[in-house]
Amino acid sequence: MSKQITLTIDRRQVTVPEGTLVADAAKMAGIDIPVFCHHPKLEPVGMCRMCLVEIGRPVRDRATGQFVMENGAPKIQFMPKLETACTNKVEEGMVVLTQSEKAAEGQKGTIEFLLTSHPLDCPVCDKGGECPLQNLTMAHGPGKSRFIFDEKMRLDKMVPLGELIWLDRERCIQCARCIRFQDEIAGDSVIGFDDRGRRTQIVSFSEPGFDSVFSGNTTDICPVGALTTTDFRFGARPWELEAHASICTQCPVGCNTTLNTRREAKAGGKIVVKRVMPRQNEEVNEIWICDKGRFAYHYTEGKKRLTRPLARKDGKLLRVSWEAATKLAAENFLKAKKNFVILASGRLSNEDLFNLKSLADHSEGRAYLYSHIGGGELTSLVGVGEGTNFAKMGAGTTIVVIASNLYEEAPIWHLRVKQAAERGATLIVMNPRGTKLDRYASFVVRYAYGDEVKSVQELGKKGRIGDAFLKSENAVILYGSEGLGISGSAAVASACAKLLNDNGFVGKPNNGLIGVWGRANDQGAWEMGFEVEEDLAKVLKGKAVYIVGADPAADDPKLAKALEGAEFVAAQDVMETATTEIADVVLPAQAFTEREGTLTSGERRAQRFYPAVPVTGDAKPDFAITSQIARHMGVILEGTSVSAVFDILAASVKSFEGLNYAKLAEVKPQWPIVGRGDLYYGGTTYENTQGMGAQLSAAAARGEKVSIPRVQREAPPRPKENELLAVPVTKLYDRGTTVLPAELLHERIGDASLILHPDAAKSLGVEAGQAVNVSFNGVSGGAVVKLDDTIPVGVALIPRSMGLAIREPVPLKVK
Ligand code: SF4
Ligand code: SF4
Ligand code: FES
């Protein structure tokens, strides 16, 4: 435990850890010192002078170092001038006066000065109602200004910093919170101050503008309405909004969010989501979310939402009743017997997946997870368990990231791993090409695509990197699917699991294996025993298929063909997709914004999400649709109460044992303090009052015997002389069902691309930005050339879900 310091703030004795800033010590004691530039997650800068207080320190005898006493107490000497509470650290015996006449006068002066060049357009400002400047002006301002209104600055009010974030130059108080967030937290230094004096302004110096996947967070911590998001700008007043707890469904991090809703004239009087805000969970996402999580939710409002059940008659999909649709599906599944196949994705909740798996188990069917990554049975076995928290990792912990670009695949893990490395954790980044995490790594290992398993095994051997790994107290490995298909990633998972298990890095907090999955709840599916299949086309062909929350027909023409050759297809989804277009029965599912459920994050944390908006059309929650189909098949599954499904799940799946909805809704005090009454301090992030979730137990932690199967890694194919090795990589903004309908993200999604080393491009005679035709594995299509000088020369990267179907490394020709 760090040394504790006792001081007095406004006549109250406060004890806090050594090194705490006076502003934070006051906050911990429930005393609000007004701040603008200070943010508890950022390094102090003392730029705005809002936090002026009187500080007195005990006088020490120079000879003895002891306090000089006066009237039986240490003699306190106050500095002649006010000091900033956000830059001074606490000292033993310190006395702080935050509300004395002198301090109040200083604070009043700062507000008066800030308002000299502020437009005071609160009545039309997006931040009005949740604005620290507005609130602190009311609490500490002079009430009257000595400056002449006509001499106020007139500046641009609609400056796009990028396509997602807008700057109102008049409102900016130059606190640099946004710049410091980008520099210190995000590690993307893409905005900064330009010019001097009163002309100082925020500018973006990246191309494209504000090129960071964390840009939206700056609007939460900007203490005025200077930074706003494109979709919320002039969209609503904060006091009109309802807040509903949710979980981001875009990646395996499971960021806690708040959906702000309002009844909307433009939506015909319907209640709609107006914005997605972070909800504090210091063990998951702290107070941040990425831009995909903030903006992609617009897909739920897409024009292609499914609203009614449909069944094919004479080649056309026609509206039918729920009873008729589910009965038709059930009859065909029963008729198929062993040829009944369920294909579900990790977009679904735990309850949905549990009912689907139960249906397969109680019939003759098989349940497959629609995923491009294998090895999940090992994360259930030796995955991280209770007590794991990146925020607690530092010196003594080794974090290995292999075959994954966390910035693109799980952005908030990128932030948290970066911070752990900055606190002293040993970070080993293993990837054939450069990633943004390399900058923070103690060791960067470049291997050739195909050598993943060998590289993992090297970590268990003596040597500079092996020693660093083996001598750690704790070790976590995050493995992904960069350049790998299902069998390749399963082999990597097996090598990682063996390495962790053999060296005692399992069954305790901050140890174990994490899969960087493609979807939010892949981990939940693995816990329930779903399997994956490399050759899905073979599995689907000629079968009666129940596809839930997945669009294989859009992802891969071979899968579309296999589905066309299937005996029967029932497709259940939120949106119309290429798969629903060829289905015999279409079952409309509710979006996550319309229903309740739980998701299991990659860190094996089960978390609750809650309904925020009314149901679209006749859509039903997935678990209830499955239950209705099951009933027609003679299988009874819970279909009414989602919490009852969870209880049955917790009683059947060991890792969920002991969990229930009430437990997942538990919260505990968190630091920093955020929330509506404290937004001057931590930003507009929402306080977590609806649940921080709970981590599942891992088999290793339960004392079960762990045996790791050795999976042989097949060598990738060797390209011929005029070919390149095409490998799949994951891109944050792709053309998936839950991203593409969000028009705001279209510029970031872009076109299908082919990423080449500049030398490879040169020898092919192509250049950056050029459209080319590629063919591989029976697929051909167009792509735009991009260059990356960190990738091997003989390799071409193809981002997944961008229109070119790639499941594993294959030889490729460029035409
Ligand atoms: S834009 Fe906001 S956060 Fe950035 S410097 Fe201006 S006031 Fe501060
Ligand atoms: S990091 Fe992942 S879970 Fe978090 S907001 Fe982004 S996409 Fe969503
Ligand atoms: S100087 Fe302390 S909050 Fe800005």
Side-chain angles (χ1 to χ4, degrees), residues 69-74:
M69 303 302 282
E70 190 177 68
N71 301 329

Side-chain angles (χ1 to χ4, degrees), residues 335-388:
K335 199 165 76 188
K337 296 197 172 125
K338 282 201 165 68
N339 284 335
F340 171 36
V341 169
I342 292 173
L343 184 63
S345 88
R347 268 164 44 197
L348 303 170
S349 74
N350 289 318
E351 296 77 5
D352 305 334
L353 291 166
F354 180 71
N355 267 6
L356 286 164
K357 184 68 174 55
S358 304
L359 178 59
D361 292 347
H362 290 97
S363 64
E364 293 178 75
R366 296 225 13 204
Y368 293 94
L369 175 66
Y370 186 61
S371 164
H372 61 264
I373 313 182
E377 64 282 358
L378 297 172
T379 54
S380 306
L381 217 55
V382 296
V384 292
E386 291 152 286
T388 294

Side-chain angles (χ1 to χ4, degrees), residues 53 169 228 239 276 334 411 472 505 559 587 626 705 717 764:
V53 291
R169 283 192 58 204
T228 48
W239 58 86
V276 176
L334 271 179
S472 311
F505 297 129
L559 296 180
L587 305 158
T626 303
K705 188 171 163 2
L764 286 166

Side-chain angles (χ1 to χ4, degrees), residues 248 250-251 253-255 289-290 293 411-412:
C248 176
Q250 293 288 344
C251 92
V253 176
C255 291
I289 54 174
C290 79
I412 294 294

Side-chain angles (χ1 to χ4, degrees), residues 128-200:
E130 57 177 16
C131 174
L133 180 60
Q134 195 178 37
N135 294 354
L136 295 183
T137 299
M138 300 301 284
H140 304 276
K144 221 172 173 185
S145 178
R146 285 170 287 166
F147 289 83
I148 301 158
F149 182 76
D150 288 347
E151 287 176 8
K152 272 196 187 295
M153 300 276 290
R154 296 279 176 266
L155 296 166
D156 293 341
K157 294 186 76 67
M158 298 258 278
V159 183
L161 290 180
E163 79 282 19
L164 300 177
I165 308 293
W166 293 75
L167 168 70
D168 181 318
R169 283 192 58 204
E170 280 191 342
R171 293 182 192 152
C172 174
I173 60 167
Q174 283 110 36
C175 70
R177 273 189 179 188
C178 54
I179 299 170
R180 286 147 60 218
F181 169 82
Q182 285 302 134
D183 293 351
E184 295 170 24
I185 308 268
D188 288 331
S189 301
V190 294
I191 54 172
F193 281 133
D194 187 40
D195 227 323
R196 308 181 65 181
R198 293 192 93 195
R199 290 192 303 271
T200 305

Side-chain angles (χ1 to χ4, degrees), residues 23-24 27-28 31-42 127 130-133 135-136 175 177-178 180-181 185 216-224 277-282 285-289 294 670-688:
D24 294 340
K27 188 73 195 160
M28 288 171 189
I31 297 166
D32 291 343
I33 297 177
V35 297
F36 285 126
C37 69
H38 176 64
H39 188 285
K41 294 265 185 194
L42 301 172
K127 205 88 169 193
E130 57 177 16
C131 174
L133 180 60
N135 294 354
L136 295 183
C175 70
R177 273 189 179 188
C178 54
R180 286 147 60 218
F181 169 82
I185 308 268
N217 295 299
T218 58
T219 66
D220 297 333
I221 57 169
C222 175
V224 293
M277 300 290 283
R279 180 168 56 104
Q280 186 177 33
N281 190 334
E282 292 296 321
N285 54 301
E286 303 176 28
I287 55 173
W288 319 118
I289 54 174
R294 193 180 295 264
Q670 301 192 72
W671 177 263
I673 295 166
V674 298
R676 301 293 91 188
D678 301 286
L679 45 81
Y680 78 94
Y681 181 70
T684 45
T685 300
Y686 275 78
E687 188 187 354
N688 196 330

